Every structure is written in structure tokens, then in C-alpha cells.
Amino acid sequence: MKIIVIGAGAWGTALAVSAAPRHAVTLWARDATQAMALHKDRENRRYLPGVSLPQGLSVVSAASQPLDTRVVMHDLAVIATPVAGLRPMLEALAPVRNVPVAWLCKGFEPAARDGLGRMPHEVQREVAPALAAGALSGPSFAQEVARGQPTALVAASGEPSVREVLVNAFHGPTLRVYANDDLTGVDVG
């Protein structure tokens, strides 16, 4: 499976590190300088110091190729930005078809012009309703996942195929991923 993780913070890096031994994983960094440092150092010193990036993990930057063009070369896209960055990422991916998309963020986006802050599933419904999408969340921490400590996540989507690809991508001996169709509940929880 080919996975692209969009966002090279702690969570994005941790999931990329976790999946890289079993899949072809690309970690996409917005900042070209950060991408070069990750590639050169094979460590995310800013967000996950002490965690080595597997040799098979590719690191690219936003400057290398438009995001939607890069995403279509993968079987799964995972958005690992804060909730404030979800809307622009989903807008960029809205034209993408046949690639499931999941977000890792929680909470409410900053209030829009109408004064309402929306939850991730509401943002997706508003800006990219045709995307096969869902959330990957859980009672876990990036450090635990990156270090291979036992933890669990929930893959939530109204679409069984999205849940299935998320479980197949990340479920392993130390990271358990459980499927659920309650996307709203997972976003709230």
C-alpha cells in the first residue's frame, strides 16, 4: 500500500514511522527546510526527538510537486495538520478521486464568517463532500505510536472502504486500529 501523510508534525511523523516498515510511506512537509532536515537527519528533531525515521520513509516538501498531483499516486492520504489547517487541505484534495482521505485532527476549526466553528467532519462535508473520507483518532500519543508502544486508534467513516483501508494501513502488533461508522462520535470524542 502507498500512503502519503500530509503534515510532518508529531502525529504525522509518528504514523508515518509506524506504517513505514509495512508500506511505502511518503511524509509531506509544508516547509522545504523542514523536509530537507528530516531527510538528512532521518529524525524529526523538532517534534519527535530521538525517534529515527525508517530508511524506506520518503520525505517531500510542498515545493516539489502540487499536493493533489502527488496524492493521486497513493492508495491513502492522511491529513496530519491541526484542525485550523484541515479546510485548506481538503479544498486542495477535493478534486482527487479514488484515494481515501482521513484526518487526524480534533476539535473545532476557528469560527468562520458566520461565527460558527465546525468540527472536522462538518468541514469535509462543506468543502469536499465527494471525497471518500474519515477520521483516525484515539486515546493515544504520538510518542507512544512512534516508539511502538501498545496503543489503539479508531478509524471512523460512513464508508466501509475507508474504514477498511485505514485498518489495513495502520493496524499492527503494537498499534491496534478499530473500525467504527460513527464519524461524528469519533470527532466529538
Side-chain angles (χ1 to χ4, degrees), residues 45-158:
R45 291 188 177 154
R46 181 174 180 189
Y47 295 107
L48 281 176
V51 175
S52 297
L53 302 183
Q55 286 305 315
L57 177 63
S58 300
V59 180
V60 298
S61 75
S64 65
Q65 186 176 26
L67 185 57
D68 60 341
T69 304
R70 185 166 293 281
V71 166
V72 297
M73 298 184 292
H74 293 83
D75 303 308
L76 172 63
V78 177
I79 301 172
T81 65
V83 72
L86 181 62
R87 182 177 294 268
M89 288 296 117
L90 287 172
E91 287 170 342
L93 298 179
V96 174
R97 298 292 180 259
N98 302 322
V99 178
V101 175
W103 53 82
L104 305 178
C105 57
K106 303 175 191 176
F108 292 90
E109 74 173 340
R113 280 173 264 138
D114 60 8
L116 300 176
R118 288 168 177 74
M119 297 187 73
H121 70 278
E122 294 171 317
V123 174
Q124 184 263 323
R125 197 174 324 136
E126 190 174 290
V127 300
L131 279 181
L136 188 61
S137 186
S140 55
F141 297 99
Q143 291 282 351
E144 294 171 343
V145 172
R147 290 195 170 111
Q149 295 172 328
T151 190
L153 297 173
V154 177
S157 176

Side-chain angles (χ1 to χ4, degrees), residues 3-75:
I3 302 167
I4 184 166
V5 178
I6 303 163
W11 251 124
T13 303
L15 280 173
V17 165
S18 176
R22 298 182 314 278
H23 304 292
V25 180
T26 300
L27 181 60
W28 183 91
R30 179 176 34 96
D31 178 36
T33 303
Q34 181 193 20
M36 287 186 345
L38 291 169
H39 180 74
K40 180 178 138 306
D41 300 340
R42 303 309 297 169
E43 179 182 351
N44 191 334
R45 291 188 177 154
R46 181 174 180 189
Y47 295 107
L48 281 176
V51 175
S52 297
L53 302 183
Q55 286 305 315
L57 177 63
S58 300
V59 180
V60 298
S61 75
S64 65
Q65 186 176 26
L67 185 57
D68 60 341
T69 304
R70 185 166 293 281
V71 166
V72 297
M73 298 184 292
H74 293 83
D75 303 308

